[in-house]
Amino acid sequence: MNQARRRRACETIGRRMALTLMDRKLAPIDFGATFRAHRPGPERDLIEWFIEREPIRIPRGCRATLFCEPQLDSGVPDLVLVLWNEAVTRKWSPSRLDLTNGDLRLMHYLAIMGPQDEEDLERFFPKQLPQALERLEAADMIRLVADEWVPRALSAVFAARHIIAIEAKISEWGAALDQARQNFWFASNSFVLFPRLPRDSKFQEAANASGIGVWSRDDAYLDAPSLGPARLPRSYASWLFNEWAWRAATIDAKGRA
């Protein structure tokens, strides 16, 4: 898909579902995420089909941000769709744009462990801890109470409701399942996307046992509420997608202004 066609597809989807597309060509240099260059081939064609069709119905009150081949510590998932509650972000401070990946690691630790004093935090975050705490405080994500750093309620600082990872595969079912399992590191839901559903019943059994969804071009639209409880954030990478989705929408809004 060329650049003009990609933008037209994104605009059409955006009108229907308030979706923002982010990939290597569309993301600005200072966006915060990096992306793999597109590699032509049948799997890339399958990714482009998904981008154009977008077969997920978005819940009312949510926005959708689709990341194409974002680079993570664990690898490069083909697609990551973030469904997030826009109302939660309306009071977010612009200072969140200054947060680094290391800051979000610290935020995830505080969100999981609860209030911590600075001495305890230094054991796990020995580098540039004061600066990270200062940025998180400026972003109104944590506050200092009686010498302890206290995270704000997750409902106020984490807007992602579902983070859906999708791996496009033409064959190599075993590799597809391995990649989909790895994506649970950050994703609430993990899918493998095929042109046609595999006929091998053992593959379907293995996918079901791992909680992995199987998708094909023949499937109907998926309603997000049917995905079940998200149980997010799973790791600091969940926070990355939470921030990137909001940043992408902020950039998109500025571009339309």
Side-chain angles (χ1 to χ4, degrees), residues 1 6 22-26 33-41 43-44 47-48 68-72 75-78:
M1 185 188 294
R6 180 182 289 107
M22 277 288 128
D23 63 8
R24 187 172 183 177
K25 294 182 178 180
L26 297 177
T34 57
F35 299 84
R36 183 174 62 192
H38 301 331
R39 297 179 293 188
E43 289 182 359
R44 181 63 208 177
I47 291 171
E48 296 287 3
C68 187
E69 300 179 281
Q71 293 183 323
L72 302 172
V76 184
D78 289 328

Side-chain angles (χ1 to χ4, degrees), residues 4 6 9 20 32 38-39 55 67 84 100 119 121 136 143 150 166 184 186 188 214 216-217 225 235 246 251 254:
R6 180 182 289 107
T20 301
H38 301 331
R39 297 179 293 188
F67 298 91
W84 53 283
T100 68
E119 184 177 349
L121 289 174
L136 287 170
R143 56 196 176 97
V150 180
I166 302 157
F184 277 122
F186 63 87
S188 55
V214 182
S216 80
R217 289 181 175 179
S235 68
W246 171 67
I251 293 167
K254 288 180 179 178

Side-chain angles (χ1 to χ4, degrees), residues 53-71:
R53 186 180 179 204
E54 188 51 64
I56 296 182
R57 301 192 192 281
I58 308 305
R60 182 174 297 179
C62 281
R63 291 195 61 167
T65 308
L66 183 62
F67 298 91
C68 187
E69 300 179 281
Q71 293 183 323

